[in-house]
Amino acid sequence: MPELATSSPSSAFPHLLSPLDLGPFTVKNRLVMGSMHVGLEDHAKDAPKLAAHLAERARGGVGLIVTGGCSPNLSGRLTPHGAQIRPGHMDAHLLVTRDVHEADGRIVLQLLHAGRYAFHPLAVSPSGGRSPITPFRSRPLTRIGVRRTIDAFARAARAGVEAGYDGVEVMGSEGYLLNQFLAPATNRRRDRYGRTAEDRRAVPLAVAGAVREAIGPRGLLTYRISLQDLVKNGQDWDEILALARELEARGVDVLSTGIGWHEARVPTIATSVPPGAFVDVTRHLREQVSVPVVASNRLHDAHIAESVLADGSADLISMARQLLADPQLPRKLEAGRENQIVSCISCNQACLDKVFVGERASCLVNPRAAHETELRLLPVPVQRRRKVAVVGGGPAGLEAAISAAERGHTVTLFEALDEVGGQFLFAARIPGKESYGEALRSWRTRLVAAGVGVHLSTRADAEMLAGFDDVIVATGVRPRVLDLPGFAPPADPAAASGPGPRVLSYAQLLSMPRERALAEVGERVAIIGAGGIGVDVAEFLTAPLPSFTEDLPAWRERWGVVDPAERRGGLAVRERTGQAPTALLERSAVPTEVHVLQRRTGKIGKDLGRTTGWVHRAELRHAGIIEHRGVAYRAIDAAGLHVTEPGTDPGAAPTETVVAADTVVVCAGQESERGLVDELALLEDGPRVHVIGGADVAAELDAERAIRQAVETAAAL
């Protein structure tokens, strides 16, 4: 197991942990918890939960907290019942600010008007119309409506500071109303609010000035400014820079950077985005303004954040999802325990994906996030401490072991393999998911810190576990065996195959080093199953070496990201040729023909994450994947994989097809490994048995559910 860090925090993170004068007050470090809606902002009854959530981050030592966005008026709400600041009804906010201040924190209220992103029929925007991400058509604001909106921002800001907030952040990024006024794409007005670039700046500047006057000199005013809209006909750099300078003149204390509109077809925060991908444009801004600048987007790693501050690219670092994952991050940095930080893997599965369907957010690697009052890990009295065995070192087993040990129980972890990690070992090998490796390193170090006894290469049996008080079975899953003629994956993936395609399970393929796997699968591969694992395998076989996540110039070229000084919106213009792209094949020795097959007739990857699925589907299209939908599998023989596919014309009879392949990779689901549960049931007066993760339910390999089960089980011991 790795040794614990002993580095001095002052030498490791001197910039990140240093205080900074922001004008109205000084923050104790350069870490900002960026705005992130968690689903507790919309109803006053949830205020105690929201207060506990934010106060825990304040106790963890973050320098400044920004709330989730609250609308200044009814039309600006994100949803029909979304958060709105209503002067005279601020008791819930008083509770939040009190708890954060009692935890020695600083907090500012973000004011966000959704504009045409509003998910309700009262939506308004500069010029009317519907955005690609909502079903409602917005109506254009009248000039009176514009003035009323500016006044609403001022009233809401005043109510915020009266409720105890240390200041206000005006949301002018991500494609919301103020950003819509700035971009020619969404502002086609012919009056004083839209004819020229100067006119388009009028409303954001008026809002900033009105908010400044409303909160007075003692309140902090930050403005979230879009540096790259990443949409056609977005802002150009001269316009962005002019806005920034005029915001300074209107009294803005801090410029917080935003990247990309929600409708942009460029990923900005997914795990496949290279860390620090947008630091360059932040540096360009900081060089031209005198107020502090906050860098954001894929800056979860503290070492990268420190380097961004050290080279002068920014003055502060915004971390939103990373502080969901680990609210104690600043304290751990101060104590020199940075390798015990719970790493955000930018999966979005439990946070953004939840919020966008109206559910409360949490965090895949920290299920207590936004559930602090309900899921509590309290220390146990000495007389109640139990001897606990955890069998299985995947994500569920690791989290169960650490959580139980941190409560005070004596915990031993048994893992059959020679390393812990389970399915995350496979995930970390997928191009674009390199961050999963950081989570594994964090778990390994935290095992040591929590005092968990670890036995690797040990297959625990009932006799070995008889002396424990509790056994947590987290033995995970095994690939499902297909009832298909000719299907016979070799026990050893290196074994010679007979006539016909080589057949591998996804576990066998992903257990091999990637370079070796690419060399051995041949030129033609068929993948049975197009769920999350099937898509991962397709990317494993087709992504370049190195992956785009580790090659920033190539990633920018792949997604058409350019300097906004070169082209409006910072987005390159691409011609549509109608041909499958071949850039990936030119950059690496990968199979030249990859088929992905599924039984369902829907699109490949349909059930992937709401905020990241489109990225994976785009990568598959870019790689020229050949899709087969609605198939029935028949057999595997010397000719290849035999399937039946729907007819090409409506009502046509299915057709028999042979997919010629050198290798068939089976990603057709999993089955729970539950043999140990049956063994333990035979013991007389044996330990209490708890079954979690894939051993409990194998469907979809749901890491979020598995880790939540692990923490809930540990909390109940």
Side-chain angles (χ1 to χ4, degrees), residues 545-599:
L545 290 167
S547 79
F548 286 131
T549 310
E550 298 175 317
D551 187 344
L552 180 54
W555 180 86
R556 286 174 174 163
E557 182 180 359
R558 157 68 183 94
W559 288 100
V561 177
V562 298
D563 192 319
E566 298 178 18
R567 187 170 291 276
R568 280 194 172 276
L571 190 66
V573 174
R574 296 284 180 85
E575 293 184 3
R576 292 183 177 272
T577 64
Q579 297 177 346
T582 58
L584 295 182
L585 303 181
E586 293 170 355
R587 294 185 62 219
S588 59
V590 298
T592 58
E593 187 176 292
V594 176
H595 300 257
V596 177
L597 304 96
Q598 68 175 17
R599 295 183 187 274

Side-chain angles (χ1 to χ4, degrees), residues 367 375 396 399-400 472-473 690-697 702-716:
L375 184 51
E399 199 59 47
I472 300 176
V473 179
H690 316 266
V691 186
I692 64 172
D696 179 36
V697 179
D702 190 343
E704 179 201 352
R705 175 187 52 77
I707 293 172
R708 184 181 67 250
Q709 273 189 318
V711 177
E712 289 172 345
T713 299

Side-chain angles (χ1 to χ4, degrees), residues 527 529-540 604-605 608 616-617 620:
I527 301 171
I533 294 178
V535 170
D536 276 353
V537 167
E539 293 193 47
F540 179 81
I604 299 292
L608 298 178
H616 296 292
R617 291 190 291 270
L620 296 189

